[in-house]
Amino acid sequence: FEIPESELEITTMRSGGAGGQNVNKVNSAVRIKHIPTGLQVKCTQERSQPQNKAIALERLKAQLLAIAQEQRVQEIQEIRGDMVEASWGAQIRNYVLHPYKMVKDQRTSWESSNAQAFLDGELLEDCIGAYLRHSAKQQQHKEMEES
């Protein structure tokens, strides 16, 4: 991807260190600052300014890509929510159709041995009623604890 020049602040300086007279009189080191994020990259490894600028720009792009990927992963995690392992008892409701038949709601402990009637929608009202009673009971307990 390309970074607009208007978002970059490029400064040059002398490299310093070993390297003879060239190091002391030529501005070959490059510092690039990405203004919107405040990220800075400095490169002094090459003797020529254009090479150092290219290296610094590649490093800055790599850092910006890493930040963008982290943000994308966070957004996906926020959308997905907590990952729950799909194991027995981790679901809201369990359906057993073989070797015996049973439907059990884990939140309310409501269960029925007539799984086919539940799947056909005939026992759905019983399950919903158990959930509503359970919710009302929890709300009462919560109100009693607060007062």
Side-chain angles (χ1 to χ4, degrees):
F1 76 103
E2 290 298 316
I3 303 171
E5 285 285 327
S6 61
E7 293 183 0
L8 299 177
E9 181 181 301
I10 302 172
T11 55
T12 58
M13 64 209 85
R14 294 186 179 94
S15 291
Q21 195 174 11
N22 181 57
V23 172
N24 298 325
K25 65 180 188 175
V26 177
N27 289 341
S28 62
V30 176
R31 179 185 299 127
I32 300 178
K33 179 179 180 182
H34 187 244
I35 297 169
T37 61
L39 284 176
Q40 289 188 31
V41 176
K42 180 179 176 183
C43 184
T44 61
Q45 72 187 48
E46 298 295 330
R47 289 180 59 128
S48 102
Q49 190 182 73
Q51 288 176 330
N52 280 335
K53 182 178 176 183
I55 292 169
L57 200 54
E58 288 303 312
R59 288 180 186 168
L60 182 66
K61 284 181 184 179
Q63 286 183 354
L64 289 172
L65 277 173
I67 290 171
Q69 285 176 336
E70 282 181 32
Q71 288 174 345
R72 203 170 309 124
V73 167
Q74 279 183 328
E75 289 171 2
I76 290 170
Q77 285 177 345
E78 287 175 11
I79 291 169
R80 276 190 178 171
D82 294 334
M83 297 292 280
V84 177
E85 185 178 331
S87 62
W88 181 261
Q91 301 88 3
I92 293 173
R93 200 170 299 113
N94 293 319
Y95 303 88
V96 180
L97 302 174
H98 190 282
Y100 57 95
K101 297 186 185 321
M102 184 178 83
V103 177
K104 182 171 183 177
D105 190 310
Q106 297 296 324
R107 300 169 294 185
T108 63
S109 298
W110 176 87
E111 61 183 68
S112 172
S113 59
N114 194 350
Q116 190 58 48
F118 183 82
L119 292 172
D120 290 340
E122 295 168 16
L123 296 177
L124 200 54
E125 288 181 12
D126 294 347
C127 182
I128 293 171
Y131 175 72
L132 292 174
R133 285 189 295 277
H134 177 74
S135 295
K137 196 180 289 186
Q138 279 187 328
Q139 186 66 30
Q140 282 179 340
H141 287 295
K142 187 177 179 181
E143 288 173 0
M144 288 175 67
E145 288 175 3
E146 290 176 355
S147 50

